[in-house]
Amino acid sequence: PQGLRPVSNAARAAGMKFLAWFEPERVHRKSQAAILSEHPEWFVGKDDNLLLNLGDPDAWQWLLNTLKNIIDEEGIDYFRQDFNFNTLPYWAQMDAPDRVGVAEMKHIDGLYRLWDALRETYPDMLIDNCASGGRRLDFELLSRSIPLWQSDLQCYPNHRREGSQVENFYLHDWLPQHAGCSWLPENDDYDVLSILATGVSLKPWGTDNRRPTPETNWDFHQRVLAIAQ
């Protein structure tokens, strides 16, 4: 009810940083966001998922201002940007037959400039490149961010831990800092150690609705985090 500020204050009081998770390029038509009716020309799409066109200078400036206001008001230390849908059809409908690829180039240029503007305003703010689990690990974005969620592979409860090991084996060569997530049931050291890189995310099952009223084993989380440190 008081927004995120009480939570971010509590995190810093405990000696931690507060990360907030955004997906600003996608706006759902049924969200009833005022900006949809105020500036429909900024959005592209025919179904419920709409793309905010970062190639539009006015839309770009509105998004930057909106993000800065949220970061300042809520006390956000780290900014995670996710990206969970296929935008190629959206860009294709914007391009003329002899201009294929132009909408995408303008949008991605806007994305790079957006992160540059955030880094200039908040030089100590880490940008977490999430993007549906590793879909934007290109050299330009990696020069501006680190991926704390390198893959969505681990989101599937029956995933093979060896897949996590292979990810880390190859990412270590060109990503100095990256982290994955362990979502398997607690007390599985092998799963955590398989995804452990320069960071690791642990899923406290007690906060999830996948199992009936489980008890979170905080001793396990503290122990494996101590190993990671």
Side-chain angles (χ1 to χ4, degrees):
Q2 289 80 40
L4 296 176
R5 172 63 77 162
V7 184
S8 66
N9 287 346
R12 284 183 292 275
M16 298 184 289
K17 298 290 187 179
F18 181 76
L19 180 150
W21 196 333
F22 295 82
E23 191 180 355
E25 295 160 272
R26 177 169 63 163
V27 179
H28 200 277
R29 191 185 300 274
K30 296 180 181 179
S31 68
Q32 300 181 354
I35 197 67
L36 287 173
S37 57
E38 294 171 359
H39 290 283
E41 72 277 11
W42 292 353
F43 297 91
V44 183
K46 300 177 181 179
D47 58 11
D48 286 339
N49 285 316
L50 302 175
L51 174 69
L52 176 63
N53 180 17
L54 296 186
D56 185 303
D58 293 329
W60 183 93
Q61 190 63 57
W62 172 84
L63 178 57
L64 176 62
N65 294 341
T66 300
L67 292 175
K68 289 167 64 174
N69 286 338
I70 296 174
I71 291 168
D72 292 338
E73 292 176 5
E74 306 297 352
I76 294 169
D77 301 305
Y78 293 162
F79 173 83
R80 165 178 282 179
Q81 183 159 331
D82 209 341
F83 186 66
N84 279 302
F85 69 129
N86 179 16
T87 47
L88 288 178
Y90 296 78
W91 291 322
Q93 74 180 71
M94 299 169 64
D95 287 329
D98 61 344
R99 302 276 287 173
V100 174
V102 172
E104 179 180 3
M105 287 188 291
K106 289 182 177 180
H107 185 99
I108 298 303
D109 176 70
L111 175 64
Y112 294 159
R113 290 187 295 106
L114 178 71
W115 284 16
D116 286 341
L118 289 175
R119 285 170 54 85
E120 181 179 0
T121 305
Y122 309 101
D124 296 326
M125 184 181 73
L126 183 150
I127 296 179
D128 175 13
N129 179 349
C130 182
S132 190
R135 294 178 63 193
R136 277 182 166 171
L137 300 186
D138 63 81
F139 289 109
E140 286 291 340
L141 287 184
L142 289 176
S143 70
R144 298 162 169 84
S145 64
I146 66 172
L148 297 180
W149 195 284
Q150 67 196 35
S151 172
D152 276 358
L153 168 68
Q154 295 81 23
C155 293
Y156 300 92
N158 60 345
H159 75 269
R160 293 183 62 88
R161 293 70 160 309
E162 292 75 14
S164 300
Q165 297 169 19
V166 171
E167 284 181 5
N168 283 343
F169 182 82
Y170 287 99
L171 285 174
H172 284 334
D173 287 341
W174 62 290
L175 271 180
Q177 292 183 310
H178 61 97
C181 179
S182 172
W183 273 40
L184 290 186
E186 292 165 345
N187 305 313
D188 191 335
D189 288 34
Y190 184 66
D191 185 61
V192 176
L193 296 175
S194 293
I195 196 59
L196 180 61
T198 47
V200 65
S201 298
L202 299 178
K203 177 68 174 179
W205 284 91
T207 62
D208 197 282
N209 62 1
R210 297 190 183 192
R211 298 192 309 187
T213 61
E215 292 293 331
T216 296
N217 185 347
W218 294 112
D219 290 338
F220 166 78
H221 288 273
Q222 292 173 349
R223 179 171 58 80
V224 293
L225 285 176
I227 295 173
Q229 291 175 343

